[in-house]
Amino acid sequence: MREFASEPLVRRLIDWGIDTVFGRPGDGPEGVARAFERHRDAIRLVTVEHEEAAGLMASAWAKATGRIGVCLATSGPGAVHLLSGLYDAKHDHQPVLAITESPRTRLLGTGFDQELCLDKVFADVADYNVRVHVPVQIPAMVDIGIGNAMARGSVSHITLPWGLEPAPDGSGPWMAPASAPPTAPVFVADPGVPPAGDLERAAALLNRGGRVAMLVGVGGGGSTNELLAVAEVLGSPIVKSLPAKAVVPDDHPLCTGCAGALGSGPSQLALRDADTVLVVGSNYPYRETAGDPEGVSAVHLATDLDRITSHGPNDLTLVGDVAETLQALLPLLRRKQDHAFLEQARDGMAAWRRRIELLEDPAGDPLRPGFLVRAIDRLASDDAVLCCDSGPMASWSARHFDVRGGRGYLISANLAAMPSGLPYAIAAQLASPGRQCLALITSEGFGRLMAELRTATGQRLPVKVLLADTTMAASFAVWADASGALGLRVESARQLDEALGLALGHDGPALVDVLVDPSEQPPPALPAGA
């Protein structure tokens, strides 16, 4: 059998322990699709309807698993469609490897159909960005690409001409930089604990603070117990960035919810009124939130210096493993006796929840978005993973869906790609087959990538699509039925719980099309003049 460059490519991915790839490759006899088919027992190719979804799925896979996400596309427009998902990964610091096919080498530079200089097209989004010229390069390129992406939390891109055949061993006119033996997954070791002197200086600064707030980002994931222990000693409210919604439970008495315009009023006030801030694993731009940036002291803790930004005050930087560093810092902290600042935040949260409940009124006609999201919150399982579109739905989910127990939360944070909810949920379901994975989306977002519901049905994934429909037009439930999913339509409050229950209990993919008020927008976190 003739061997093409796609064969060593797929074998090398398998060597790295990669078992899932998202994409829509070309269908030629020399393409990568055939190589995936030959190795289907070791690696699966999830074929999508649109390449934008493949890029978003790869980003979501990295967010959901902590492992590298991989996507692929053929030349021309297929490759270009990956970019939205790749920029999502780049801006949210997720490791992703993108693989694209280009026309045959002998056709490059001739203006052949769909010819693009893909290494130039991907130059901004990919930190490691290479074109394969001879097949012997492929194993080393895959190694370097994966290593760069994992070490830096970045995107790597490899483009290779289809139809490229490896020459018999030793017969090529090139010299390999080194033989490329089979490899195993290589992961960067945790960065450990900062020097003792840095920890002592951080503790002294935090101990001096009279009004301490904690700002926690996704870098704090896996450190919930340590974060709560430090906050308890400091008497500190915990403010979360939106993508870090699942790091600390929403119902914990130290938590004030998410930061920013999409978050809660008490979180805004905590950051505004604090004289000292401990920033953990976040690059949230809180400079404008701080009441007097010049009068605020801040300690930043991150796993590497690339995650430290100038988005807010910073007196001291700690670089280390978050959990281990917080454990080492805890004995150096003095327990705060004055809890007035924390009690102010708690009182604010009680008032905030009463304010939010007013937006969950079931009497709305059409339904209020807050009523829909709170119903989902009530009925979803304790291990549900909520994957949310960007835009107004991000705010509704931040305020009306509580992360508690073992729940997860995924969103396109810094890029804010609107139609991310459904591709994210598909990737999350593939990563966690036993968990309840929900796509909380809007009709605007669903209209862009609604064909991916067919990807869910084709993969037999029990993804639940919960759609806030502001179009008041065609029924998306009809599309769901035509795609092989359970489709339900809700037009009144009395229908909602029954429809959600049927969808959540269904053993396959389901969509609930809920008509909601198109005129209602999320209110500001703080009233004017507050």
Side-chain angles (χ1 to χ4, degrees), residues 21-24 46-61 70-73 78-86 88 96 417 419-428 430 445 448-456:
V21 176
F22 305 95
R24 192 168 185 85
V46 179
T47 303
V48 300
E49 298 294 327
H50 193 284
E51 294 86 352
E52 180 181 2
L56 289 167
M57 289 176 190
S59 179
W61 178 270
V70 182
C71 58
L72 64 90
V80 172
H81 288 155
L82 291 177
L83 286 174
S84 178
L86 297 183
D88 178 55
V96 167
S420 56
L422 178 55
Y424 269 38
I426 290 172
L430 287 164
R448 288 163 169 78
L449 289 175
M450 60 192 295
E452 298 312 320
L453 189 58
R454 294 171 54 186
T455 303

Side-chain angles (χ1 to χ4, degrees), residues 44-384:
R44 62 184 169 189
L45 174 62
V46 179
T47 303
V48 300
E49 298 294 327
H50 193 284
E51 294 86 352
E52 180 181 2
L56 289 167
M57 289 176 190
S59 179
W61 178 270
K63 293 178 181 182
T65 66
R67 299 161 54 197
I68 189 166
V70 182
C71 58
L72 64 90
T74 190
S75 58
V80 172
H81 288 155
L82 291 177
L83 286 174
S84 178
L86 297 183
Y87 273 106
D88 178 55
K90 174 186 174 74
H91 287 300
D92 286 355
H93 305 288
Q94 298 300 318
V96 167
L97 172 64
I99 300 162
T100 60
E101 298 175 281
S102 60
R104 294 178 185 272
T105 301
R106 67 174 182 267
L107 298 174
L108 293 176
T110 67
F112 189 73
D113 287 352
Q114 296 191 331
E115 180 187 346
L116 295 176
C117 190
L118 290 175
D119 45 339
K120 291 184 178 180
V121 171
F122 284 70
D124 180 62
V125 75
D127 286 351
Y128 179 74
N129 179 35
V130 291
R131 177 186 294 275
V132 173
H133 295 281
V134 290
V136 74
Q137 298 171 290
I138 290 175
M141 285 179 169
V142 172
D143 290 353
I144 297 169
I146 292 176
N148 272 265
M150 289 296 296
R152 299 177 180 177
S154 63
V155 175
S156 292
H157 169 239
I158 299 172
T159 186
L160 68 159
W162 54 271
L164 193 64
E165 289 187 72
D169 289 344
S171 64
W174 54 81
M175 293 180 62
S179 61
T183 186
V186 177
F187 299 99
V188 178
D190 289 336
V193 177
D198 288 349
L199 291 171
E200 291 168 359
R201 285 189 288 274
L205 190 151
L206 294 169
N207 287 333
R208 286 196 303 270
R211 302 184 306 279
V212 182
M214 290 178 63
L215 174 58
V216 177
V218 290
S223 308
T224 303
N225 292 335
E226 291 80 5
L227 290 164
L228 293 173
V230 169
E232 181 71 29
V233 170
L234 293 174
S236 167
I238 298 177
V239 179
K240 303 179 291 186
S241 68
L242 180 57
K245 184 172 171 65
V247 173
V248 175
D250 283 309
D251 59 356
H252 194 280
L254 291 172
C255 181
T256 59
C258 295
L262 303 183
S264 74
S267 287
Q268 292 283 74
L269 292 173
L271 293 178
R272 188 192 72 180
D273 297 339
D275 61 19
T276 307
V277 180
L278 173 58
V279 182
V280 180
S282 175
N283 60 3
Y284 174 76
Y286 69 100
R287 178 184 296 276
E288 295 182 0
T289 303
D292 177 13
E294 299 300 322
V296 176
S297 299
V299 175
H300 285 233
L301 167 57
T303 54
D304 61 74
L305 286 172
D306 283 346
R307 308 298 168 88
I308 301 294
T309 70
S310 59
H311 290 327
N314 185 20
D315 294 270
L316 180 65
T317 297
L318 299 176
V319 177
D321 177 82
V322 170
E324 292 180 14
T325 301
L326 292 174
Q327 289 170 3
L329 183 63
L330 188 59
L332 305 176
L333 299 174
R334 293 198 302 268
R335 184 172 293 273
K336 302 289 185 185
Q337 301 303 314
D338 183 355
H339 284 180
F341 186 61
L342 178 59
E343 291 304 322
Q344 176 183 323
R346 286 175 169 169
D347 291 344
M349 275 305 294
W352 172 260
R353 289 193 177 279
R354 291 193 295 270
R355 180 185 174 194
I356 288 300
E357 287 175 4
L358 297 176
L359 303 176
E360 299 167 357
D361 182 3
D365 183 19
L367 275 65
R368 305 190 75 171
F371 175 69
L372 165 62
V373 179
R374 184 58 71 189
I376 295 167
D377 171 64
R378 284 190 289 102
L379 298 174
S381 67
D382 285 341
D383 72 341

